[in-house]
Amino acid sequence: MTTTYTVRVEPLGAEVSCREDQTVLDACLREGVWLPHACTHGTCGTCKAIVLDGDIDLGSASPFALLDSEREEGCALLCVARPRGDLVVEGEVDIEDGVEVHPVRDHRGRVVTLEEVAPDVRRVVLDLTRPMPFNAGQYVQLVLPGGDTRPYSIANSPSDPRRIELHVRRHPGGAATDRWIFKDLAVGDEVALSGPYGTFSWRPARDKPVLLVGTGTGLAPLASILAQLGDTAAAAGWEHEVVLYHGVATKDELYDRERYERLQQELPWFSYRPAVSREPVNGRQGRVTDLLAKDFPRASGRVAYLCGSPRAVEDTMKVLMRARLFPRDILREGFFDSADRASGTHVVRSPLIRR
Ligand SMILES: Cc1cc2nc3c(=O)[nH]c(=O)nc-3n(C[C@H](O)[C@H](O)[C@H](O)COP(=O)(O)OP(=O)(O)OC[C@H]3O[C@@H](n4cnc5c(N)ncnc54)[C@H](O)[C@@H]3O)c2cc1C
Ligand code: FES
């Protein structure tokens, strides 16, 4: 029989039940108790918390994301840690105004679209058997045929919570992509998933001009944010400038280009700036970081949403900070994969841990 323990989350004082085989983060998110998290695979360090009382199994926390000294100080990565008795943990539980908490649930969906949108990039659209409310920018965990999971950002508007669109890039030798999504997965297949996850989401309370910067399939959550913004704008008269950069190496990787060029014609506040490093597009050529630095020598007063490979996100963040944008106005989603987990680069240093 599986034993269940009680986890108290401070400073909220909220109590949740957590099975011995369940991670503390999973138990909290399923009960609607929000805690910060990003990769949910023990790699990025975002979910770091202090264990005030009780025994915990630290699980597969990356030694780079949870240092030996932090383990000794009683810290844990709640996305991979499991209880060994009743627990009291302390995390950063602040939720920004306007951001809704949607409890995580298991779902099933049927593949209705499987489309090659760029070399090694597939659009996968799922129809869910029941709605999954989410915030624009959040992601789902797809369950692989062997039971392992991989996170993928949702690319469609939250206004249709029974539909989930994903943009997936193939990783050579990758378990989810090369050996399943790009090989065996077919229209009509049923897939299991859970969600919604993620701290990276549209912040309605930040009433400022917006920079959306995505590299590769990092476009996905930005597409969702833009779709939501389109709905909001139609309803409430949005007026701030929104600039979308899509960074890729070659022109044929600029998927959905026509859609954004059309939107640019239709929406007075929106502009689309492809950033192609190896060839010119519309008379411009360069890495997204270079074009962004050129266009915005001063970026203060804006809010930026960055998404893509952890390295690209980190480099873009540095450019924006040099342009005087405060880190609190730079929201980030790094697409950590197994290689990042093994190498331990791009770990987030939590302010909880004083050095
Ligand atoms: C929050 C979040 C959202 C994401 N959203 C998206 C998205 O919208 N679209 C998208 O395309 N991707 C997204 N990703 C990345 C995605 O989850 C997968 O990591 C990616 O698809 C690769 O999965 P895979 O199973 O195919 O590859 P894996 O089997 O995980 O392998 C990835 C790469 O690492 C190599 N590798 C495997 N194990 C090791 C090891 N031990 N040491 C060194 N190298 C190793 C493999 O050869 C391969 O090249 C997201 C990631 C996160 C964290
Ligand atoms: S969310 Fe736990 S380490 Fe990334």
Side-chain angles (χ1 to χ4, degrees):
M1 204 183 78
T2 312
T3 312
T4 299
Y5 299 109
T6 300
V7 178
R8 192 163 85 235
V9 179
E10 299 292 4
L12 292 177
E15 291 196 345
V16 303
S17 297
C18 185
R19 297 188 319 270
E20 60 183 342
D21 61 352
Q22 189 178 20
T23 68
V24 175
L25 181 72
D26 188 65
C28 290
L29 296 181
R30 284 174 190 271
E31 299 249 349
V33 175
W34 188 87
L35 286 166
H37 61 284
C39 72
T40 51
H41 281 88
T43 308
C44 71
T46 307
C47 65
K48 201 173 290 171
I50 298 172
V51 182
L52 298 175
D53 195 29
D55 279 346
I56 198 161
D57 172 354
L58 295 177
S60 57
S62 148
F64 305 97
L66 189 67
L67 305 175
D68 285 346
S69 57
E70 292 169 331
R71 291 166 198 248
E72 283 161 21
E73 284 167 22
C75 296
L77 300 183
L78 298 184
C79 70
V80 287
R82 292 175 170 82
R84 288 290 163 265
D86 291 344
L87 288 176
V88 182
V89 300
E90 183 185 358
E92 292 171 68
V93 294
D94 290 346
I95 304 171
E96 195 169 313
D97 281 354
V99 176
E100 283 184 68
V101 177
H102 300 293
V104 166
R105 297 278 179 266
D106 293 325
H107 291 271
R108 297 203 72 79
R110 190 168 295 283
V111 179
V112 291
T113 304
L114 201 53
E115 182 191 0
E116 214 79 33
V117 289
D120 284 335
V121 177
R122 281 193 162 178
R123 187 192 321 277
V124 182
V125 182
L126 306 173
D127 268 357
L128 304 186
T129 50
R130 60 182 173 138
M132 182 186 74
F134 62 94
N135 298 324
Q138 289 195 291
Y139 67 88
V140 293
Q141 294 276 7
L142 273 193
V143 181
L144 276 59
D148 210 353
T149 58
R150 291 287 186 279
Y152 292 100
S153 299
I154 307 166
N156 54 294
S157 167
S159 64
D160 188 359
R162 281 187 91 117
R163 179 171 181 262
I164 295 296
E165 175 179 334
L166 310 174
H167 302 163
V168 181
R169 184 171 80 81
R170 185 207 303 257
H171 285 245
T177 56
D178 221 12
R179 280 182 258 140
W180 179 45
I181 296 172
F182 283 80
K183 189 167 165 262
D184 301 323
L185 190 71
V187 170
D189 283 0
E190 242 201 35
V191 297
L193 65 155
S194 61
Y197 296 91
T199 307
F200 180 81
S201 68
W202 171 243
R203 304 300 166 97
R206 304 198 192 191
D207 194 22
K208 301 172 181 189
V210 176
L211 287 172
L212 304 173
V213 186
T215 54
T217 47
L219 183 64
L222 309 182
S224 177
I225 287 173
L226 189 58
Q228 153 131 25
L229 203 45
D231 298 344
T232 314
W238 174 268
E239 283 178 352
H240 295 299
E241 181 185 36
V242 178
V243 184
L244 170 67
Y245 285 85
H246 188 197
V248 292
T250 55
K251 269 195 285 201
D252 56 358
E253 295 171 81
L254 284 177
Y255 66 90
D256 292 340
R257 178 178 173 184
E258 294 75 20
R259 179 195 296 178
Y260 297 115
E261 287 178 340
R262 198 177 57 245
L263 273 183
Q264 184 171 243
Q265 300 298 321
E266 291 169 2
L267 303 171
W269 42 264
F270 175 65
S271 64
Y272 169 61
R273 303 192 188 172
V276 182
S277 59
R278 295 198 198 138
E279 50 191 330
V281 170
N282 303 337
R284 300 215 311 167
Q285 178 178 351
R287 282 161 41 99
V288 72
T289 41
D290 297 332
L291 299 187
L292 189 62
K294 203 166 156 199
D295 294 349
F296 291 95
R298 287 286 175 273
S300 46
R302 295 171 187 270
V303 57
Y305 297 80
L306 318 181
C307 187
S309 74
R311 165 56 57 82
V313 168
E314 210 171 283
D315 289 350
T316 311
M317 167 129 183
K318 286 181 191 154
V319 165
L320 290 173
M321 284 171 67
R322 276 200 292 274
R324 309 259 170 97
L325 190 56
F326 291 122
R328 75 169 295 278
D329 281 325
I330 306 176
L331 294 115
R332 294 165 286 156
E333 187 81 284
F335 284 177
F336 292 92
D337 65 16
S338 308
D340 297 309
R341 205 173 319 158
S343 68
T345 44
H346 320 295
V347 167
V348 176
R349 290 281 167 232
S350 164
L352 252 183
I353 316 304
R354 291 168 195 92
R355 292 168 178 290

